[in-house]
Amino acid sequence: MSTWQEIENKCLSCKSCRLCEKRKNVVFGVGNRQAKVMFIGEGPGEQEDIQGEPFVGKAGQLLDKMLYAVDLDRHKNVYITNIVKCRPPMNRDPQEDEQESCIGYLREQTRLIRPRIIVTLGRIAGMKLIKPDLRITREHGTIIERKGVFMMPMLHPAALLRNQSQMEGAFNDFLILREKIKEVCPEVYGL
Ligand code: URA
């Protein structure tokens, strides 16, 4: 059983896959380590690689706005991380072997946080963590339960920036999330 410090140290010096070669920073995660709600994206982009924090580029700013709209905050009541902790070159999808090399860190983070709700952001994270045949455009906003943890795929904020017609549906997912939080972990809202 490793501690946060041990896992983070190991991750920050990780050389388990080729993504270590070009990274500026390992992007481990941000937020409350006691959060009841965890958000998981696919992998760092350019800004995240530079700053060492997940979702700090344009997509991240949109994510922050949507969180704010339902009284969530990356520094207060959620934890945010990615499937892979190093930036894939040219922002390509992380490959299966890269995901496999990295997923142990996410498992350890999840074990320590013990969230009640896990939100996946985008197709890659949804397929990896919820089901391999996930159809994200059709199934975003639906919730399944696995071993007492509620799992919800959402559209990726970067995809929303490219296709604004999906914005309303994406916002609706956050309203569904808010209701689920009120139901299973109302303490998040001080209820
Ligand atoms: N996209 C992701 O999936 N994760 C980030 O941290 C940034 C952009």
Side-chain angles (χ1 to χ4, degrees), residues 27 40-45 48 53-57 59-60 80-82 121 156 158:
V27 181
I40 303 172
E42 62 188 58
E48 291 76 21
E53 182 172 329
F55 287 98
V56 289
I80 305 176
T81 188
N82 284 300
L121 294 167
H156 196 287

Side-chain angles (χ1 to χ4, degrees), residues 70-83:
V70 293
D71 299 308
L72 297 175
D73 180 314
R74 69 166 63 212
H75 297 296
K76 290 193 183 135
N77 48 15
V78 300
Y79 189 84
I80 305 176
T81 188
N82 284 300
I83 301 273

Side-chain angles (χ1 to χ4, degrees), residues 40 43-44 49 58 67 74 88 98 106 108 112 115 122 126 134 153 156 178 181:
I40 303 172
D49 181 49
K58 286 215 169 72
L67 290 172
R74 69 166 63 212
E98 295 160 352
L106 178 62
E108 292 284 275
L112 286 165
L134 179 77
H156 196 287
R178 179 168 65 183
I181 293 172

Side-chain angles (χ1 to χ4, degrees), residues 120-175:
T120 58
L121 294 167
R123 192 178 130 265
I124 299 280
M127 285 170 50
K128 187 73 186 168
L129 299 177
I130 297 178
K131 56 175 184 172
D133 60 346
L134 179 77
R135 303 297 303 264
I136 186 71
T137 36
R138 214 180 293 161
E139 296 181 85
H140 68 87
T142 57
I143 298 175
I144 61 153
E145 187 189 342
R146 201 179 282 158
K147 293 190 202 154
V149 180
F150 296 92
M151 316 262 313
M152 180 187 203
M154 282 200 192
L155 294 162
H156 196 287
L160 298 177
L161 291 172
R162 287 192 299 269
N163 185 355
Q164 307 252 340
S165 69
Q166 293 181 313
M167 201 67 86
E168 200 178 323
F171 187 67
N172 195 49
D173 292 350
F174 274 84
L175 300 181

